[in-house]
Amino acid sequence: MSSSAKSHLNKKVFISASAIIIALISYAALLPQHANDVFSITQASIIENGSWFYVLTVAFIFFFVIFLGFSRYGDIRLGPDHSTPDYSLPSWLSMLFAAGMGIGLMFFGVAEPLMHYLAPPTAETGTVEAAKEAMKMTFFHWGLHAWAIYTIVALVLAYFSYRHGLPLTLRSALYPLIGDRIYQWPGHLVDIFAVVSTVFGVATSLGLGAAQVNAGFGYLFDIDVSVTNQIIIMCGITGLAVISVATGLDKGIKILSEANMVLAIILMTLIFVLGPTLFLLQAYVQNIGNYLTDIVHNTFNLFAYNKTDWIGGWTIFYWGWWLAWAPFVGLFIARISRGRTIREFIFGVMFIPTVFTLLWMTIFGNSAIDLVYNQGVTSLGEMVGKDSSVALFVFLENFPYAAVLSGFSVLMIVIFFVTSCDSGAMVVDMLCSHGRNDTPLWQRVYWAVGIGVVAAVLLLAGGLSALQTMTIASALPFAIVLLLAIVGLIKALRVEAFKQESQLITAMPHSGNDKNDSWQMRLKNIVDFPNKINVNKFIATIVTPAFESVANELKENQIDVKISTVNGLSLIVDHGEEQQFIYRVVARKHSQPDFVTEEDDEQDYYRAEVHLLEGGQDYDIMGWSKAGVINNIIDQYHKHLHFLHLLR
């Protein structure tokens, strides 16, 4: 990469975060028991005294995201008004799903429903009610609330980056509250926190995943389950992640995510067909009904009247885990979501993956419970209680072609971990590079290898569980930062609403005095498809004099105005501390419609399109008279002044 790209590195964040990570893994490696004690006490204290805060925070996020999806703000685009999504819907869903939930589904798809069935919070163990409650609580932990947390973090980052041109890093979420101080140490500290949280979150998950891959290899190839083998597996996964992250988002990460989505659908379909198919269809419908029926009750349930350790070990743990992962997953989702509307974004990120996740949990979870409850495979429940990493493979032993299914599952787990590792490395690299993704190769490799090294050191030192606890504890300060960011988002969306309202006032008519304003000329302009030379000539001979006339008149009224030729021809009116007015005309290329037949067989034509500060307005002024252009500028300026009036 060129030397200019190297200058994008934020050394304050990069060096500080690296130092903190090295210090923490040294502490966990040299004093593992002490670290475990400290972090365990911290976690117990948070559960005892702060569980109400976690519950209220997640509840607020959940209902706020649903409100945004149905509100008038849903039409706002994450980017300029003329932008389109960078990725197709299947690619987009595959990438966000692989980063957000893929690993957990492989690890907990069988284990969690069975663990709830064997030790439900309120029902009697081994009963039908226990089975219903097990699936309901599994849905609750892996459903809409988890994706709502990812959604709001990603939405805040994507909105401020793509709509307002701020860096695609966590600091930008605080811009409405602290302004330009995001570029100083307050902003650096937020990004440092996000880097440390992401590295330990991904590294911890990588370590847990190595245990599951090792268990799978043990069933397939009779390989010993040991720390040494898990380190070897971890090195292999890290190596694959380095290759993936080196090829970039549009190749390695995208291709792996799409491939794993296909594999996940195939595996889920096989279990569905080979298992109790009709029962699973019925259970899925009923599970959704039970989940939605009790969603408000479970959202606010703290078991205040019947004290239990269950909520701390499960619900609060999950809320903390999703919050701790939110900087990583949220930034990654934001990175791949440019060009979508807020409504499309919310329904795509929150609801579509939830439907798939709950279907997965039903097929694997209900099938596992059916094996224990109806078919007497008690060994499955016993193995889950001893080691949850082998739950999936013990479960698959009860199906035809068990070895093939287990091999298929191991392949999926490896790819899921590679996609988590490489996307995590990409996110951390962006946090250390002012939100840029055109960074030198060594930076991406540094973080991919770094995540693997952190996981390996912690696994060797026995400190993995301690750092997992630390990751959960880090969710507390992040929850506070996130709530402040939501306040900033609300303020910014109110401004957007005022802007939209200002666009609805009646526009002034054209003069009609110029021959170019006649209906014949207007019709000719509509059906004409000019080339780039003609459009540029129009901008030079008609639009430029119109801009100069308006600029001279504004200067007569003591208003600061300038004309710029950067990215088109722009008229920029400055209003001091209030938002400036920009009217830009850009020559944009389009494909000709099928009914047009040109003698020279040109396939493209150009339009003189109007762009405002928010982006392209999707209308063409090519062929207008000077008076028509001036009147249109005044129309838009009138709307802008009304927008500023609404803000005051």
Side-chain angles (χ1 to χ4, degrees), residues 324-379:
W325 266 62
F328 152 51
V329 180
L331 199 151
F332 180 78
I333 293 175
R335 168 65 183 83
I336 62 176
S337 300
R338 184 181 187 275
R340 300 190 181 275
T341 65
I342 289 179
R343 182 172 295 110
E344 180 186 10
F345 176 84
I346 288 175
F347 281 92
V349 176
M350 186 173 174
F351 289 99
I352 295 178
T354 296
V355 170
F356 184 88
T357 300
L358 301 187
L359 179 60
W360 180 283
M361 287 298 188
T362 294
I363 291 175
F364 284 83
N366 272 114
S367 295
I369 292 174
D370 180 68
L371 285 172
V372 176
Y373 182 72
N374 290 321
Q375 301 182 39
V377 187
T378 56
S379 59

Side-chain angles (χ1 to χ4, degrees), residues 1 242-243 245-248 429 438-447:
M1 189 65 67
V242 168
I243 296 173
V245 80
T247 58
D429 186 33
D438 54 343
T439 56
L441 178 60
W442 73 264
Q443 287 181 215
R444 286 171 279 159
V445 172
Y446 172 87
W447 288 114

Side-chain angles (χ1 to χ4, degrees), residues 557-578:
N557 289 277
Q558 310 302 313
I559 295 176
D560 187 11
V561 59
K562 65 179 180 180
I563 297 174
S564 171
T565 57
V566 178
N567 297 324
L569 186 69
S570 303
L571 181 74
I572 304 172
V573 184
D574 189 61
H575 292 100
E577 295 183 357
E578 296 186 308

Side-chain angles (χ1 to χ4, degrees), residues 230-401:
Q230 290 170 18
I231 295 295
I232 294 173
I233 291 168
M234 204 176 295
C235 290
I237 291 174
T238 303
L240 293 172
V242 168
I243 296 173
S244 177
V245 80
T247 58
L249 177 62
D250 293 332
K251 293 181 180 178
I253 299 175
K254 177 184 174 183
I255 293 172
L256 285 175
S257 298
E258 291 177 344
N260 227 24
M261 193 69 177
V262 173
L263 293 176
I265 292 173
I266 292 173
L267 179 62
M268 186 173 65
T269 303
L270 288 173
I271 300 301
F272 174 72
V273 172
L274 296 173
T277 305
L278 181 59
F279 165 70
L280 293 176
L281 285 173
Q282 296 171 336
Y284 184 51
V285 174
Q286 188 166 334
N287 289 343
I288 291 177
N290 292 338
Y291 167 56
L292 295 178
T293 299
D294 288 348
I295 194 168
V296 174
H297 167 74
N298 288 329
T299 297
F300 295 98
N301 186 15
L302 279 164
F303 292 91
Y305 295 100
N306 47 341
K307 299 294 184 182
T308 175
D309 293 333
W310 188 92
I311 187 172
W314 285 104
T315 302
I316 302 304
F317 174 85
Y318 269 121
W319 288 178
W321 186 252
W322 302 142
L323 284 166
W325 266 62
F328 152 51
V329 180
L331 199 151
F332 180 78
I333 293 175
R335 168 65 183 83
I336 62 176
S337 300
R338 184 181 187 275
R340 300 190 181 275
T341 65
I342 289 179
R343 182 172 295 110
E344 180 186 10
F345 176 84
I346 288 175
F347 281 92
V349 176
M350 186 173 174
F351 289 99
I352 295 178
T354 296
V355 170
F356 184 88
T357 300
L358 301 187
L359 179 60
W360 180 283
M361 287 298 188
T362 294
I363 291 175
F364 284 83
N366 272 114
S367 295
I369 292 174
D370 180 68
L371 285 172
V372 176
Y373 182 72
N374 290 321
Q375 301 182 39
V377 187
T378 56
S379 59
L380 176 58
E382 294 170 358
M383 287 298 294
V384 168
K386 293 178 182 178
D387 184 3
S388 58
S389 66
V390 301
L392 176 62
F393 305 105
V394 177
F395 167 75
L396 293 175
E397 282 186 337
N398 296 277
F399 290 83
Y401 313 107

Side-chain angles (χ1 to χ4, degrees), residues 166 171-172 174-184:
L166 296 175
R171 69 178 68 202
S172 298
L174 299 182
Y175 184 82
L177 303 177
I178 63 176
D180 288 338
R181 291 179 64 200
I182 66 167
Y183 300 109
Q184 301 168 4

